[in-house]
Amino acid sequence: MTDNKLFGTNGIRFIPGKEYGLDFIVNMGLSIGTFFDKPDIIVGFDGRNSSPSISRAISAGLMESGKNVISAGMVPTPALQLITKNSYDGGVMITASHNPSEYNGIKVISSNGIEVSRSEEKIIENIYFQQKYNRQNWENVGKISSDTSSINNYIHSVIQNVDSSSIKNRKLKIVIDSGNGTQALAAPLISESLGCEVITVNNHIDGTFSGRGGEPTPDTLKFLSQSVVENNADIGVGFDGDGDRSIFCDEKGIVFWGDKSGTLVSEHLINKGIKSPIVTTIATSLIIEKVASKYNVNVHRTKVGSVDVSHKMLELDSKFGFEENGGCLYSPHVAVRDGGMGTALMLELLSFSDTTLSENLSTLPNFYQSKTKFSCPIDSRESIIHDIASSISEEIDQTDGLKIHWSENSWSLIRPSGTEPIIRLFSESDSQSHLDAIMTKCSTLVNDLIKNLNS
Ligand code: MG
């Protein structure tokens, strides 16, 4: 973190007790409370060991600024966002999403349920750095109360937003891997309410994410994949630590990234009559353009990060957005990424036909993808990416990091992580051999420049 920047791609992330102590958290509560105009702010937290104490420190700062705190308790992030949209003036979620268990973080949520915009993040940072706190005296400090209805309301809204009788009639079997995160509190209940037979793994909340870590990927979801096959299930889903991302697995145990599930859901919604622009990031597959163009539906691409997708959806009155990392955003419910809503939409998709999930996937155009990451000091990442941009003769796009268009059906994206000291590399091509070649070329470029830093 630099001196004047606290927010990354998704809120503020840090190691409590190492990078920042509770005094920082109280001051952030004061800053956030000073930022909000209206009085009632709901505060929720994920299952991390440090979350209960951080949520209390944030609440203390909010109350000192005169805001009333409503404690939601431990919740999935999308449940807190939904109740903020429906009932409160703002929200704060204490979570570091999928980051390792020593991390924690702060997400600030506007009254529309979406995380605050990049410019609003800057306002909060300025209040913090300039200590322009709106402190109140003893007569005007905020009150505290609790509202434990977030999860029930959330489950109800997800179910209301799909064709529950169609899903019930299909009698699907689902394996749910909550990854010891907070979707354990909602996703199994949503699926049961939709008439599914539910099998759970890693379904106890554990702040160390002892089962398979907090991030759902094909590598970390091997046990889910096995469980789907052994139980003869129709679908498997794995969530991240705070339940806003969902990565799926077909009935054969094949785990696939969110651009495939996002494209399948997009096509399903179009067929259901919901024909609005689709929003995704520059990091997702070309398959969405290939599929959406069949229906004359526009695809809009944003910077990487669900906040950018959410705000673009609002701007375009888009109903659906998605991310390759498993973010799935459905605005009739709330325009934020939501693992529970994504799961219900996948179940609805399956219920509209007799085809299996693998058969649905086989209808998508065939592209190959690869991703990797490189450790790199935070301050050196921009110059490395700049040096690569100047050495490339192909068409480039610098919306976010560096996207290189090698050919019509091949691209690479090199960008700094918003939350960690790493550079990420994604590539896609319609040919495996070309994919291997562009991954090797980019990896060599990045590795050589990182080596030069140390020489
Ligand atoms: Mg998350």
Side-chain angles (χ1 to χ4, degrees):
M1 286 168 198
T2 58
D3 284 347
N4 56 8
K5 188 146 178 56
L6 297 168
F7 286 87
T9 313
N10 279 105
I12 301 172
R13 301 273 170 92
F14 55 95
I15 302 178
K18 185 175 173 194
E19 291 169 312
Y20 292 117
L22 288 182
D23 50 343
F24 166 77
I25 315 291
V26 173
N27 287 335
M28 278 314 301
L30 260 170
S31 306
I32 295 164
T34 302
F35 161 76
F36 279 119
D37 292 332
K38 293 189 177 166
D40 296 330
I41 310 299
I42 188 161
V43 176
F45 56 88
D46 72 8
R48 287 165 192 271
N49 294 1
S50 60
S51 290
S53 75
I54 292 177
S55 78
R56 283 158 176 80
I58 273 281
S59 300
L62 285 164
M63 286 186 281
E64 194 179 350
S65 75
K67 297 298 180 284
N68 298 321
V69 167
I70 298 91
S71 299
M74 191 189 290
V75 290
T77 296
L80 198 276
Q81 292 182 279
L82 180 75
I83 199 166
T84 304
K85 173 187 159 187
N86 288 342
S87 308
Y88 293 102
D89 300 320
V92 179
M93 181 70 195
I94 303 305
T95 179
S97 187
H98 67 279
N99 280 171
S101 46
E102 65 270 28
Y103 281 82
N104 216 320
I106 302 166
K107 288 185 182 187
V108 185
I109 298 157
S110 301
S111 59
N112 61 7
I114 300 174
E115 288 166 74
V116 293
S117 67
R118 300 301 182 204
S119 58
E120 290 169 326
E121 288 175 350
K122 285 207 177 63
I123 295 171
I124 296 168
E125 285 170 341
N126 285 339
I127 296 168
Y128 172 78
F129 286 113
Q130 295 169 22
Q131 298 183 22
K132 287 188 171 169
Y133 310 133
N134 186 15
R135 286 183 197 274
Q136 299 295 320
N137 63 20
W138 63 271
E139 292 165 295
N140 294 317
V141 291
K143 297 182 173 57
I144 189 160
S145 58
S146 74
D147 180 346
T148 55
S149 68
S150 311
I151 293 176
N152 280 346
N153 286 338
Y154 169 70
I155 292 170
H156 182 72
S157 174
V158 169
I159 292 167
Q160 288 290 305
N161 274 290
V162 289
D163 184 340
S164 54
S165 55
S166 168
I167 301 171
K168 281 178 187 161
N169 287 338
R170 184 75 152 78
K171 299 194 185 335
L172 293 159
K173 192 191 276 191
I174 183 170
V175 183
I176 295 175
D177 179 347
S178 300
N180 309 112
T182 46
Q183 200 52 263
L185 301 170
L189 295 170
I190 292 169
S191 299
E192 277 166 18
S193 301
L194 291 169
C196 298
E197 186 181 335
V198 179
I199 296 143
T200 57
V201 296
N202 298 318
N203 205 52
H204 63 284
I205 298 198
D206 166 2
T208 65
F209 303 119
S210 55
R212 46 110 172 134
E215 179 151 38
T217 70
D219 280 342
T220 60
L221 295 179
K222 291 201 168 102
F223 188 69
L224 171 72
S225 156
Q226 265 177 28
S227 306
V228 166
V229 174
E230 280 167 15
N231 288 292
N232 216 4
D234 299 289
I235 183 171
V237 60
F239 300 108
D240 74 330
D242 65 330
D244 62 353
R245 284 165 45 197
S246 44
I247 292 287
F248 296 93
C249 156
D250 71 17
E251 81 286 357
K252 293 179 177 169
I254 309 289
V255 178
F256 51 96
W257 286 108
D259 25 26
K260 287 192 174 174
S261 47
T263 302
L264 286 180
V265 172
S266 298
E267 190 168 24
H268 164 67
L269 292 173
I270 293 168
N271 288 328
K272 207 182 154 186
I274 298 172
K275 219 174 172 185
S276 79
I278 294 159
V279 181
T280 187
T281 77
I282 56 164
T284 60
S285 171
L286 286 167
I287 58 175
I288 184 60
E289 272 89 358
K290 306 278 174 201
V291 169
S293 64
K294 289 194 287 186
Y295 304 93
N296 291 322
V297 168
N298 290 328
V299 177
H300 292 261
R301 290 189 177 257
T302 68
K303 288 185 175 195
V304 173
S306 64
V307 184
D308 296 278
V309 177
S310 292
H311 286 279
K312 184 56 99 177
M313 286 174 71
L314 274 196
E315 182 192 321
L316 299 171
D317 194 23
S318 158
K319 298 291 182 284
F320 188 67
F322 67 93
E323 301 173 294
E324 50 79 38
N325 64 10
C328 185
L329 302 86
Y330 188 55
S331 63
H333 167 64
V334 54
V336 303
R337 64 180 173 194
D338 183 344
M341 190 70 238
T343 304
L345 287 168
M346 286 290 280
L347 294 172
E348 184 184 65
L349 176 164
L350 284 174
S351 79
F352 274 33
S353 79
D354 290 328
T355 49
T356 62
L357 186 46
S358 66
E359 285 165 346
N360 278 285
L361 286 162
S362 70
T363 65
L364 297 176
N366 215 4
F367 275 84
Y368 303 88
Q369 292 176 313
S370 184
K371 57 167 80 177
T372 187
K373 55 189 178 184
F374 310 87
S375 292
C376 179
I378 284 187
D379 294 341
S380 306
R381 300 178 305 177
E382 292 296 343
S383 71
I384 285 179
I385 290 168
H386 178 266
D387 288 351
I388 295 170
S390 18
S391 71
I392 292 286
S393 57
E394 283 80 4
E395 182 195 337
I396 58 171
D397 170 351
Q398 297 190 83
T399 302
D400 188 357
L402 172 67
K403 190 167 186 180
I404 307 166
H405 295 279
W406 302 103
S407 65
E408 192 194 335
N409 290 330
S410 298
W411 56 271
S412 297
L413 177 66
I414 303 169
R415 63 180 290 277
S417 160
T419 51
E420 296 165 87
I422 58 178
I423 289 177
R424 296 186 189 281
L425 164 64
F426 309 134
S427 294
E428 177 174 57
S429 176
D430 57 353
S431 134
Q432 181 67 53
S433 60
H434 194 224
L435 178 69
D436 294 343
I438 59 180
M439 282 298 282
T440 304
K441 181 164 183 173
C442 291
S443 298
T444 306
L445 284 168
V446 177
N447 277 326
D448 285 353
L449 288 164
I450 291 174
K451 263 188 227 147
N452 284 347
L453 292 175
N454 304 322
S455 63

